[in-house]
Amino acid sequence: MAKAATDSEGITSLRYRVTGTVPQTGRLEAEASMSTLDGKSWFSARPAVWGRGAADNNSYRVLPRQMEGSPAVQSRILTAFKDVWKIGTETVVDGTRTTHYRGTVTGRGTSAARDAATTKTARERQIESLDQFVALHIDNRLTMDLWIDEAGHTRRFRPRGDTRATRGGTEGKPLEFIDGEPLDMTVTFLDVNQPVTVETPPSEDTAVIAAPADKAQSAGD
């Protein structure tokens, strides 16, 4: 797992598939590519499909909030924890033989791992893991499954857990935390450090992902 975490730091391009159930989005199927160009990270996504029940909605190339972070960083969340166990050997991703691990992560444990880091690199890695944990809005505990191939590369990961949400926060309605919908998302790495067609867009065509994602999700609810 430590080797998989180290290898993920060298990823400059990635094509991946996401399936599952995402809070505020519902059922999700998407395929995306990411690449580092000119010192910036760019994403390209096929029109993802999400929906509730029989109603499907097209994202029109907008990624939901939980997909904004790099999956290479998200896959490293488990690496600093001791409560990880081996499930067995499985074949995934076009016949690739992998070892399946499972563990649990808490916000408190992630913070403790950050504080216990003894080197700058380890501390930065734990800060990134804590940021990803917070971004998933997990309520206390995250269960993570991780599939690593024989070369020590991450090929798939699956975060699951209950989430928290907020409501109110307007005049006459105080902000309060409430139970959110469950997260169950599987991310499969299809191509790593292979040429991907993610072109640097003109500045007038760029936007912060979170803004259109919120609008798209509201329209789909």
Side-chain angles (χ1 to χ4, degrees), residues 141-152:
R141 186 178 299 274
L142 173 73
T143 298
M144 175 79 87
D145 287 75
L146 187 65
W147 288 260
I148 299 176
D149 66 19
E150 294 177 335

Side-chain angles (χ1 to χ4, degrees), residues 198-215:
V198 182
E199 299 180 359
T200 304
S203 58
E204 63 269 19
D205 292 337
T206 63
V208 177
I209 292 177
D214 288 343
K215 294 178 182 178

Side-chain angles (χ1 to χ4, degrees), residues 34-67:
M34 56 164 284
S35 181
T36 301
L37 302 172
D38 300 326
K40 299 180 180 179
S41 294
W42 300 101
F43 287 86
S44 174
R46 294 183 182 179
V49 176
W50 58 58
R52 300 175 184 277
D56 288 340
N57 302 284
N58 195 298
S59 72
Y60 301 104
R61 299 182 181 272
V62 177
L63 298 176
R65 187 182 300 275
Q66 289 83 352
M67 288 177 61

Side-chain angles (χ1 to χ4, degrees), residues 29-217:
E29 298 177 8
E31 187 171 310
S33 299
M34 56 164 284
S35 181
T36 301
L37 302 172
D38 300 326
K40 299 180 180 179
S41 294
W42 300 101
F43 287 86
S44 174
R46 294 183 182 179
V49 176
W50 58 58
R52 300 175 184 277
D56 288 340
N57 302 284
N58 195 298
S59 72
Y60 301 104
R61 299 182 181 272
V62 177
L63 298 176
R65 187 182 300 275
Q66 289 83 352
M67 288 177 61
E68 291 176 19
S70 166
V73 175
Q74 292 172 346
S75 69
R76 299 203 303 256
I77 291 177
L78 272 187
T79 55
F81 296 87
K82 297 180 180 179
D83 59 336
V84 178
W85 60 95
K86 180 179 177 180
I87 301 299
T89 301
E90 300 177 12
T91 300
V92 300
V93 195
D94 300 327
T96 301
R97 191 175 180 84
T98 65
T99 301
H100 179 186
Y101 297 91
R102 179 176 296 158
T104 57
V105 182
T106 65
R108 180 176 298 178
T110 309
S111 297
R114 174 202 59 193
D115 296 339
T118 57
T119 66
K120 179 180 178 181
T121 299
R123 183 174 177 80
E124 289 175 348
R125 186 179 301 162
Q126 292 310 318
I127 289 173
E128 289 180 337
S129 294
L130 179 58
D131 287 345
Q132 291 299 315
F133 185 92
V134 172
L136 292 173
H137 300 290
I138 296 299
D139 183 13
N140 186 36
R141 186 178 299 274
L142 173 73
T143 298
M144 175 79 87
D145 287 75
L146 187 65
W147 288 260
I148 299 176
D149 66 19
E150 294 177 335
H153 305 304
T154 298
R155 300 306 301 267
R156 174 178 291 170
F157 67 94
R158 180 189 180 190
R160 290 173 290 155
D162 295 327
T163 66
R164 61 182 182 275
T166 59
R167 67 182 176 191
T170 59
E171 186 176 356
K173 294 183 178 180
L175 181 68
E176 60 178 325
F177 289 94
I178 61 174
D179 292 338
E181 298 171 332
L183 169 73
D184 188 348
M185 182 172 67
T186 299
V187 179
T188 302
F189 291 11
L190 303 175
D191 293 313
V192 178
N193 289 341
Q194 298 296 319
V196 296
T197 55
V198 182
E199 299 180 359
T200 304
S203 58
E204 63 269 19
D205 292 337
T206 63
V208 177
I209 292 177
D214 288 343
K215 294 178 182 178
Q217 289 171 2

